[in-house]
Structures are given as C-alpha cells and as structure tokens.
Short mmCIF file of all heavy atoms in Angstrom, two decimals:
data_model
loop_
_atom_site.label_atom_id
_atom_site.label_comp_id
_atom_site.label_asym_id
_atom_site.label_seq_id
_atom_site.Cartn_x
_atom_site.Cartn_y
_atom_site.Cartn_z
N GLU A 1 -19.37 -25.11 -79.40
CA GLU A 1 -19.95 -26.14 -80.30
C GLU A 1 -19.36 -26.01 -81.73
O GLU A 1 -19.42 -26.94 -82.50
CB GLU A 1 -21.47 -25.99 -80.34
CG GLU A 1 -22.13 -26.35 -79.09
CD GLU A 1 -21.94 -27.85 -78.67
OE1 GLU A 1 -22.04 -28.69 -79.61
OE2 GLU A 1 -21.70 -28.10 -77.58
N THR A 2 -18.90 -24.82 -82.06
CA THR A 2 -18.47 -24.61 -83.48
C THR A 2 -17.11 -24.01 -83.55
O THR A 2 -16.53 -23.47 -82.57
CB THR A 2 -19.47 -23.66 -84.22
OG1 THR A 2 -19.33 -22.35 -83.65
CG2 THR A 2 -20.88 -24.14 -84.06
N LEU A 3 -16.48 -24.15 -84.73
CA LEU A 3 -15.19 -23.60 -84.95
C LEU A 3 -15.17 -22.06 -84.77
O LEU A 3 -14.24 -21.54 -84.15
CB LEU A 3 -14.74 -23.91 -86.45
CG LEU A 3 -13.45 -23.32 -86.92
CD1 LEU A 3 -12.29 -24.06 -86.24
CD2 LEU A 3 -13.27 -23.43 -88.39
N GLU A 4 -16.21 -21.42 -85.27
CA GLU A 4 -16.32 -19.98 -85.09
C GLU A 4 -16.39 -19.54 -83.63
O GLU A 4 -15.74 -18.53 -83.26
CB GLU A 4 -17.52 -19.43 -85.87
CG GLU A 4 -17.46 -19.67 -87.41
CD GLU A 4 -17.62 -21.08 -87.86
OE1 GLU A 4 -18.20 -21.88 -87.14
OE2 GLU A 4 -17.11 -21.28 -89.02
N GLU A 5 -17.20 -20.28 -82.81
CA GLU A 5 -17.22 -19.95 -81.37
C GLU A 5 -15.90 -20.16 -80.74
O GLU A 5 -15.51 -19.45 -79.83
CB GLU A 5 -18.31 -20.78 -80.84
CG GLU A 5 -19.80 -20.41 -81.20
CD GLU A 5 -20.77 -21.34 -80.64
OE1 GLU A 5 -20.57 -22.61 -80.69
OE2 GLU A 5 -21.84 -20.87 -80.09
N ASN A 6 -15.19 -21.27 -81.11
CA ASN A 6 -13.91 -21.58 -80.47
C ASN A 6 -12.87 -20.47 -80.85
O ASN A 6 -12.06 -20.11 -80.10
CB ASN A 6 -13.47 -22.91 -80.91
CG ASN A 6 -14.16 -24.00 -80.17
OD1 ASN A 6 -14.70 -23.85 -79.09
ND2 ASN A 6 -14.14 -25.24 -80.78
N LEU A 7 -13.02 -20.00 -82.08
CA LEU A 7 -12.15 -18.85 -82.58
C LEU A 7 -12.41 -17.67 -81.67
O LEU A 7 -11.46 -17.08 -81.15
CB LEU A 7 -12.37 -18.62 -84.04
CG LEU A 7 -11.65 -17.39 -84.59
CD1 LEU A 7 -10.13 -17.57 -84.50
CD2 LEU A 7 -12.06 -17.14 -86.00
N GLU A 8 -13.64 -17.29 -81.52
CA GLU A 8 -13.97 -16.07 -80.82
C GLU A 8 -13.56 -16.21 -79.27
O GLU A 8 -12.92 -15.34 -78.73
CB GLU A 8 -15.50 -15.84 -80.84
CG GLU A 8 -15.94 -14.52 -80.20
CD GLU A 8 -16.17 -14.63 -78.71
OE1 GLU A 8 -16.45 -15.71 -78.20
OE2 GLU A 8 -15.93 -13.59 -78.04
N LYS A 9 -13.83 -17.34 -78.73
CA LYS A 9 -13.46 -17.59 -77.31
C LYS A 9 -11.97 -17.59 -77.12
O LYS A 9 -11.42 -17.03 -76.15
CB LYS A 9 -14.06 -18.85 -76.73
CG LYS A 9 -13.88 -19.08 -75.25
CD LYS A 9 -14.62 -20.27 -74.70
CE LYS A 9 -14.43 -20.36 -73.21
NZ LYS A 9 -15.29 -21.44 -72.58
N GLY A 10 -11.27 -18.28 -78.06
CA GLY A 10 -9.81 -18.37 -77.98
C GLY A 10 -9.25 -16.97 -78.05
O GLY A 10 -8.26 -16.70 -77.28
N VAL A 11 -9.73 -16.11 -78.98
CA VAL A 11 -9.11 -14.80 -79.07
C VAL A 11 -9.37 -14.05 -77.80
O VAL A 11 -8.50 -13.31 -77.26
CB VAL A 11 -9.79 -14.05 -80.31
CG1 VAL A 11 -9.44 -12.57 -80.20
CG2 VAL A 11 -9.28 -14.68 -81.58
N ARG A 12 -10.60 -14.13 -77.22
CA ARG A 12 -10.94 -13.42 -76.07
C ARG A 12 -10.01 -13.81 -74.88
O ARG A 12 -9.56 -12.94 -74.12
CB ARG A 12 -12.40 -13.70 -75.69
CG ARG A 12 -12.91 -13.06 -74.45
CD ARG A 12 -14.43 -12.89 -74.52
NE ARG A 12 -15.12 -14.07 -75.04
CZ ARG A 12 -15.54 -15.09 -74.37
NH1 ARG A 12 -15.37 -15.05 -73.05
NH2 ARG A 12 -16.13 -16.16 -74.85
N TYR A 13 -9.71 -15.06 -74.82
CA TYR A 13 -8.83 -15.52 -73.63
C TYR A 13 -7.40 -15.21 -73.83
O TYR A 13 -6.67 -14.98 -72.93
CB TYR A 13 -9.07 -16.98 -73.39
CG TYR A 13 -10.23 -17.22 -72.38
CD1 TYR A 13 -11.51 -17.26 -72.80
CD2 TYR A 13 -9.94 -17.40 -71.06
CE1 TYR A 13 -12.51 -17.45 -71.86
CE2 TYR A 13 -10.96 -17.55 -70.09
CZ TYR A 13 -12.26 -17.60 -70.55
OH TYR A 13 -13.27 -17.79 -69.60
N CYS A 14 -6.99 -15.12 -75.11
CA CYS A 14 -5.65 -14.62 -75.36
C CYS A 14 -5.47 -13.20 -74.93
O CYS A 14 -4.43 -12.83 -74.35
CB CYS A 14 -5.29 -14.81 -76.83
SG CYS A 14 -4.84 -16.43 -77.39
N ARG A 15 -6.45 -12.42 -75.21
CA ARG A 15 -6.37 -10.98 -74.75
C ARG A 15 -6.37 -10.89 -73.25
O ARG A 15 -5.58 -10.11 -72.69
CB ARG A 15 -7.57 -10.28 -75.34
CG ARG A 15 -7.56 -10.11 -76.88
CD ARG A 15 -8.60 -9.12 -77.37
NE ARG A 15 -8.65 -9.09 -78.84
CZ ARG A 15 -7.81 -8.32 -79.52
NH1 ARG A 15 -6.83 -7.65 -78.91
NH2 ARG A 15 -7.84 -8.28 -80.83
N LYS A 16 -7.20 -11.76 -72.54
CA LYS A 16 -7.14 -11.69 -71.09
C LYS A 16 -5.74 -12.18 -70.59
O LYS A 16 -5.25 -11.60 -69.57
CB LYS A 16 -8.19 -12.76 -70.59
CG LYS A 16 -9.59 -12.20 -70.76
CD LYS A 16 -10.62 -13.21 -70.08
CE LYS A 16 -12.07 -12.71 -70.30
NZ LYS A 16 -12.97 -13.69 -69.63
N ALA A 17 -5.17 -13.14 -71.23
CA ALA A 17 -3.81 -13.58 -70.83
C ALA A 17 -2.83 -12.47 -70.96
O ALA A 17 -1.97 -12.29 -70.08
CB ALA A 17 -3.42 -14.80 -71.70
N LYS A 18 -2.88 -11.77 -72.05
CA LYS A 18 -2.02 -10.62 -72.22
C LYS A 18 -2.21 -9.54 -71.15
O LYS A 18 -1.22 -8.99 -70.58
CB LYS A 18 -2.14 -10.03 -73.56
CG LYS A 18 -1.26 -8.84 -73.94
CD LYS A 18 0.29 -9.25 -73.84
CE LYS A 18 1.19 -8.13 -74.15
NZ LYS A 18 2.60 -8.52 -74.13
N GLU A 19 -3.42 -9.30 -70.83
CA GLU A 19 -3.74 -8.30 -69.78
C GLU A 19 -3.13 -8.74 -68.49
O GLU A 19 -2.83 -7.86 -67.59
CB GLU A 19 -5.28 -8.17 -69.67
CG GLU A 19 -5.98 -7.49 -70.87
CD GLU A 19 -7.45 -7.49 -70.82
OE1 GLU A 19 -7.98 -8.12 -69.76
OE2 GLU A 19 -8.10 -7.05 -71.69
N ASN A 20 -2.97 -10.02 -68.26
CA ASN A 20 -2.38 -10.54 -66.99
C ASN A 20 -0.88 -10.73 -67.17
O ASN A 20 -0.20 -11.32 -66.29
CB ASN A 20 -3.04 -11.91 -66.67
CG ASN A 20 -4.47 -11.68 -66.14
OD1 ASN A 20 -4.66 -10.88 -65.24
ND2 ASN A 20 -5.35 -12.46 -66.70
N GLY A 21 -0.24 -10.19 -68.23
CA GLY A 21 1.15 -10.14 -68.32
C GLY A 21 1.81 -11.34 -69.01
O GLY A 21 3.04 -11.50 -68.95
N ALA A 22 1.02 -12.20 -69.66
CA ALA A 22 1.62 -13.41 -70.23
C ALA A 22 2.54 -13.10 -71.42
O ALA A 22 2.35 -12.19 -72.19
CB ALA A 22 0.46 -14.28 -70.77
N ASP A 23 3.63 -13.93 -71.54
CA ASP A 23 4.55 -13.90 -72.59
C ASP A 23 4.16 -15.00 -73.67
O ASP A 23 4.53 -14.91 -74.88
CB ASP A 23 5.97 -14.09 -72.25
CG ASP A 23 6.43 -13.08 -71.22
OD1 ASP A 23 6.34 -11.80 -71.65
OD2 ASP A 23 6.80 -13.33 -70.09
N ILE A 24 3.59 -16.12 -73.21
CA ILE A 24 3.15 -17.18 -74.02
C ILE A 24 1.76 -17.63 -73.59
O ILE A 24 1.49 -17.74 -72.36
CB ILE A 24 4.10 -18.43 -73.90
CG1 ILE A 24 5.57 -18.02 -74.27
CG2 ILE A 24 3.61 -19.51 -74.79
CD1 ILE A 24 6.52 -19.15 -74.05
N ALA A 25 0.91 -17.88 -74.51
CA ALA A 25 -0.48 -18.46 -74.19
C ALA A 25 -0.60 -19.79 -74.94
O ALA A 25 -0.27 -19.92 -76.09
CB ALA A 25 -1.54 -17.54 -74.70
N LEU A 26 -0.99 -20.86 -74.12
CA LEU A 26 -1.04 -22.23 -74.65
C LEU A 26 -2.44 -22.75 -74.53
O LEU A 26 -3.09 -22.63 -73.45
CB LEU A 26 -0.11 -23.14 -73.92
CG LEU A 26 -0.07 -24.60 -74.35
CD1 LEU A 26 0.28 -24.77 -75.79
CD2 LEU A 26 0.75 -25.45 -73.36
N PHE A 27 -2.98 -23.28 -75.62
CA PHE A 27 -4.39 -23.96 -75.57
C PHE A 27 -4.25 -25.39 -75.25
O PHE A 27 -3.29 -26.07 -75.44
CB PHE A 27 -4.97 -23.72 -77.03
CG PHE A 27 -5.55 -22.38 -77.23
CD1 PHE A 27 -4.66 -21.35 -77.81
CD2 PHE A 27 -6.84 -22.03 -77.02
CE1 PHE A 27 -5.18 -20.10 -77.99
CE2 PHE A 27 -7.29 -20.83 -77.24
CZ PHE A 27 -6.46 -19.83 -77.72
N PRO A 28 -5.43 -25.98 -74.86
CA PRO A 28 -5.53 -27.43 -74.64
C PRO A 28 -5.49 -28.12 -76.00
O PRO A 28 -5.52 -27.45 -77.12
CB PRO A 28 -6.87 -27.65 -74.01
CG PRO A 28 -7.35 -26.30 -73.61
CD PRO A 28 -6.69 -25.36 -74.49
N GLU A 29 -5.45 -29.50 -76.01
CA GLU A 29 -5.32 -30.25 -77.24
C GLU A 29 -6.49 -30.09 -78.21
O GLU A 29 -7.64 -30.17 -77.75
CB GLU A 29 -5.17 -31.67 -76.81
CG GLU A 29 -4.90 -32.69 -77.88
CD GLU A 29 -4.72 -34.05 -77.40
OE1 GLU A 29 -4.82 -34.33 -76.17
OE2 GLU A 29 -4.35 -34.98 -78.17
N MET A 30 -6.20 -29.87 -79.43
CA MET A 30 -7.19 -29.91 -80.53
C MET A 30 -8.32 -28.88 -80.22
O MET A 30 -9.46 -29.14 -80.33
CB MET A 30 -7.77 -31.27 -80.78
CG MET A 30 -8.22 -31.56 -82.20
SD MET A 30 -8.93 -33.15 -82.44
CE MET A 30 -7.54 -34.22 -82.30
#
C-alpha cells in the first residue's frame, strides 16, 4: 500500500533473487 512497504518488499525479494544465483533482478512496471 505504501512506498515504504514496496521498498522493504523489493529489497527482500532482491536478496532472495541473489540467493538463487541471479545476475540481474527486474521489477514489474512502476
């Protein structure tokens, strides 16, 4: 619902992507 929550969730999922060996992480639009 908020910018702060999207920031926190985005960071968390980037970390998960790295744990899975990702070289690039891409978000959906806006």
Side-chain angles (χ1 to χ4, degrees):
E1 293 297 319
T2 68
L3 178 72
E4 292 73 23
E5 290 174 314
N6 286 338
L7 175 62
E8 187 278 330
K9 184 171 184 176
V11 168
R12 180 156 41 91
Y13 271 83
C14 281
R15 293 190 183 281
K16 288 182 179 180
K18 181 62 178 181
E19 289 171 4
N20 287 310
D23 299 304
I24 302 174
L26 178 64
F27 282 86
E29 186 176 5
M30 209 182 290

